Amino acid sequence: MNRRIALKNIAIITGSTFILPYGCDFETGIVYSNFTSLKKKHLNLIASISEFILPSDMKNFPTPENRLHFIMTMANDCLLKKERKLFEEGFEFFQLSLSSERNERFEKLQINQKQEFILKGIESNKPEIKMFLNFIKEFSILHFETSENYMKNYLNFEFMPGRYNGKVQV
């Protein structure tokens, strides 16, 4: 009798070890404390909206973090509670309008369809969608403007400690 229970337990353990990788997501992602409800597919949608508004060029304008991480960090840490609520509501309304209008994913739409959809969102009667898209646009531009190449070559910014002129006549 004990042998049957032992074999049964071994079979359960073996089966669960084979099923475990399919049921669990072992990818560790960044958790944003104020946006715990956002899943990976939601973050991918935000990234694709941002890429459509302002395409990133990591070759010419490299930044230490990717744009999605920058946008979500700014939204998580810098927005007020009221603004974060508007951001989440705008994202939900954006998803609802996307799913009601088309059954496709935003990433798979053609460029002119994306442009039409974004413009409809900006011109819509829902202020939440407009605020959401404005936050994405502002953070995308800010991410671009904080790249080292842009700051050095276009703003003539000098990083710390700055220029040192040791032999200057007084």
Side-chain angles (χ1 to χ4, degrees), residues 51-104:
E51 282 294 318
F52 177 75
I53 291 174
L54 180 66
S56 62
D57 184 10
M58 292 303 283
K59 180 181 172 194
N60 295 324
F61 298 98
T63 54
E65 72 277 332
N66 64 6
R67 182 168 303 156
L68 175 65
H69 178 59
F70 182 83
I71 289 172
M72 291 309 299
T73 301
M74 292 295 289
N76 188 48
D77 298 342
C78 299
L79 294 180
L80 301 173
K81 188 174 186 177
K82 179 183 172 185
E83 292 172 334
R84 282 193 304 266
K85 187 175 183 204
L86 284 173
F87 185 87
E88 283 184 309
E89 288 175 356
F91 181 62
E92 289 173 11
F93 284 130
F94 185 83
Q95 284 182 308
L96 289 174
S97 63
L98 181 64
S99 64
S100 67
E101 199 163 306
R102 292 180 173 81
N103 290 331
E104 297 181 66

Side-chain angles (χ1 to χ4, degrees), residues 13 20-21 29 34 41 60 102 112 117 125 139 142 161:
I13 291 171
L20 185 64
N34 294 317
K41 64 179 182 177
N60 295 324
R102 292 180 173 81
N112 57 356
F117 194 75
N125 295 332
F139 294 149
L142 186 61

Side-chain angles (χ1 to χ4, degrees), residues 36-169:
T36 55
S37 63
L38 293 179
K39 305 276 189 261
K40 189 173 182 176
K41 64 179 182 177
H42 299 130
L43 295 175
N44 289 339
L45 177 60
I46 292 173
S48 64
I49 293 168
S50 172
E51 282 294 318
F52 177 75
I53 291 174
L54 180 66
S56 62
D57 184 10
M58 292 303 283
K59 180 181 172 194
N60 295 324
F61 298 98
T63 54
E65 72 277 332
N66 64 6
R67 182 168 303 156
L68 175 65
H69 178 59
F70 182 83
I71 289 172
M72 291 309 299
T73 301
M74 292 295 289
N76 188 48
D77 298 342
C78 299
L79 294 180
L80 301 173
K81 188 174 186 177
K82 179 183 172 185
E83 292 172 334
R84 282 193 304 266
K85 187 175 183 204
L86 284 173
F87 185 87
E88 283 184 309
E89 288 175 356
F91 181 62
E92 289 173 11
F93 284 130
F94 185 83
Q95 284 182 308
L96 289 174
S97 63
L98 181 64
S99 64
S100 67
E101 199 163 306
R102 292 180 173 81
N103 290 331
E104 297 181 66
R105 293 175 49 174
F106 185 79
E107 296 89 2
K108 294 184 179 180
L109 295 176
Q110 299 294 325
I111 292 175
N112 57 356
Q113 292 173 329
K114 286 182 182 180
Q115 182 178 13
E116 175 187 333
F117 194 75
I118 296 280
L119 290 175
K120 277 185 186 177
I122 291 173
E123 296 170 355
S124 72
N125 295 332
K126 297 206 182 287
E128 293 89 358
I129 295 176
K130 187 182 289 189
M131 288 292 291
F132 168 71
L133 292 174
N134 282 335
F135 282 136
I136 297 290
K137 181 181 112 179
E138 288 174 20
F139 294 149
S140 298
I141 291 172
L142 186 61
H143 180 257
F144 170 74
E145 289 176 345
T146 57
S147 66
E148 183 177 349
N149 190 9
Y150 179 80
M151 292 175 82
K152 280 183 178 178
N153 297 330
Y154 296 97
L155 297 180
N156 295 323
F157 181 80
E158 292 184 16
F159 289 94
M160 289 291 292
R163 191 173 305 209
Y164 174 71
N165 297 325
K167 294 185 177 182
V168 177
Q169 290 182 345

